[in-house]
Amino acid sequence: MTIRKRTAWIAALAIGALALTSCSASTDSAENTDGSRTVTIVTSNDAPFSYVDEATDELTGIDGEMLNAMADQLGWKIDVVVTDFATMPQTVISKKADFIADGLYVTDERKKKLAFTDTWYYQGEGMLVPADSTL
């Protein structure tokens, strides 16, 4: 996973939250007959952050577990679409998914088409060397 993907993965969840409250997707995230709502999320299947566990066929990972907890509280059912990282924004823009559950940098260009929340996860870079290193 690239630093870029890790840096803003929570922002992707915000896209979904805003998408659910501000627009209607062709994925028809309306209420089901049992009163629950089905939401469609898109992920690049990128462990450990957001991926479908092959053993259980369930969304898991850091993003997945947060999303599942949110879905439990809100009475949502989740459908997962797995795609390439590069196509995730377009999947939401074209209304084939309600939101992204994956890392996504917040950029000015992306903010023109997608809604983001405050970023809470930042990743820096560093180097670990022995104390007597000249680096």
Side-chain angles (χ1 to χ4, degrees):
M1 169 172 281
T2 66
I3 291 172
R4 178 175 57 141
K5 287 170 69 175
R6 284 185 230 151
T7 301
W9 62 270
I10 192 63
L13 290 175
I15 293 169
L18 290 171
L20 288 172
T21 60
S22 64
C23 66
S24 171
S26 64
T27 57
D28 197 11
S29 63
E31 270 192 27
N32 297 322
T33 56
D34 63 0
S36 67
R37 170 176 257 176
T38 298
V39 294
T40 303
I41 65 100
V42 62
T43 180
S44 65
N45 216 29
D46 197 16
F49 290 93
S50 178
Y51 64 100
V52 177
D53 186 320
E54 291 180 17
T56 64
D57 204 34
E58 296 290 325
L59 183 67
T60 192
I62 297 166
D63 295 342
E65 290 175 23
M66 285 192 303
L67 183 58
N68 286 325
M70 188 170 61
D72 286 345
Q73 289 184 357
L74 297 171
W76 293 350
K77 293 181 180 178
I78 300 172
D79 285 338
V80 179
V81 174
V82 176
T83 188
D84 294 332
F85 181 79
T87 62
M88 290 188 308
Q90 188 56 42
T91 303
V92 171
I93 292 167
S94 66
K95 299 185 180 184
K96 293 178 182 171
D98 296 301
F99 58 97
I100 298 169
D102 210 314
L104 192 66
Y105 267 134
V106 179
T107 65
D108 289 337
E109 189 64 29
R110 286 184 177 144
K111 286 195 285 188
K112 292 177 184 175
K113 296 181 180 181
L114 301 169
F116 292 88
T117 188
D118 294 336
T119 302
W120 70 271
Y121 179 83
Y122 298 92
Q123 170 136 357
E125 295 185 32
M127 181 175 9
L128 184 64
V129 298
D132 60 351
S133 173
T134 60
L135 296 175

